[in-house]
Amino acid sequence: TNDQNYFDHGLAFEYQSVASVVMLSPERGPTDGGTRVVVAGSNFNERSALLEYTRCRFNMTVVAATFMSESEVSCISPAHDAGIVTVEVSLNLQQQSGDAISYAYVVLRTDGLQPTAGPVLGGTMVQVHGDGFGEISLESVWCMFDKYETPATRATQSSLTCLTPAV
């Protein structure tokens, strides 16, 4: 404009407080991704979430975030090579929180299970053998039997147990 004529079309710009991230739970997960990560911090905002502007960024990979409260959002970790990445939150698809909280990707390997068969009524305790189980939180580790998921529990650093469902 020419500093004399201005247009008012009823458009609005909203200023928001800057989001900050202070903690992740869990702080590590498998390289396959798929871990639900709760991001704790401040100034998260439901309006941004409703407009689908709230995102988590794991290094350079951006994923959707679910608003839980002004101090928590959750995200599903994307697949990534083993190592440490930084996690940040954006409320507008542009600026990031800038706190660079670390999240570790670890390699999980499964070698076998025992027993390898059980009744269709379910109830068989199956032990899954492998490596890397001691390095992750079991909040998001499940055993998949056909299309049925059951939660895993840690038996040892190299084995998990799962109860088979009825099929």
Side-chain angles (χ1 to χ4, degrees):
T1 67
N2 61 9
D3 288 333
Q4 294 177 5
N5 299 323
Y6 298 93
F7 299 97
D8 181 6
H9 295 285
L11 301 175
F13 182 84
E14 180 180 346
Y15 285 94
Q16 300 175 336
S17 298
V18 176
S20 73
V21 175
V22 295
M23 188 178 81
L24 305 175
S25 179
E27 296 175 338
R28 56 187 61 231
T31 55
D32 293 342
T35 300
R36 181 178 173 265
V37 179
V38 175
V39 181
S42 61
N43 298 325
F44 302 140
N45 140 357
E46 187 171 19
R47 180 170 163 74
S48 290
L50 290 172
L51 293 170
E52 298 182 6
Y53 293 162
T54 306
R55 299 283 189 264
C56 292
R57 186 173 75 180
F58 290 73
N59 262 11
M60 297 308 292
T61 304
V62 177
V63 297
T66 301
F67 178 82
M68 299 168 65
S69 72
E70 290 183 6
S71 60
E72 286 186 338
V73 295
S74 68
C75 308
I76 303 300
S77 65
H80 195 280
D81 292 337
I84 305 291
V85 301
T86 58
V87 176
E88 305 198 42
V89 172
S90 173
L91 301 178
N92 67 355
L93 304 175
Q94 292 183 31
Q95 284 81 21
Q96 303 296 322
S97 54
D99 301 300
I101 302 299
S102 295
Y103 181 82
Y105 279 95
V106 296
V107 176
L108 298 182
R109 187 186 81 245
T110 55
D111 296 330
L113 53 95
Q114 188 177 18
T116 58
V120 295
L121 295 175
T124 302
M125 188 62 70
V126 175
Q127 192 162 32
V128 180
H129 303 281
D131 190 36
F133 302 140
E135 297 184 49
I136 59 165
S137 165
L138 293 180
E139 294 172 17
S140 60
V141 178
W142 299 77
C143 291
M144 181 74 86
F145 296 93
D146 191 21
K147 60 183 177 191
Y148 305 99
E149 292 181 343
T150 62
T153 57
R154 185 176 294 115
T156 68
Q157 295 287 63
S158 60
S159 67
L160 304 173
T161 57
C162 296
L163 190 62
T164 61
V167 293

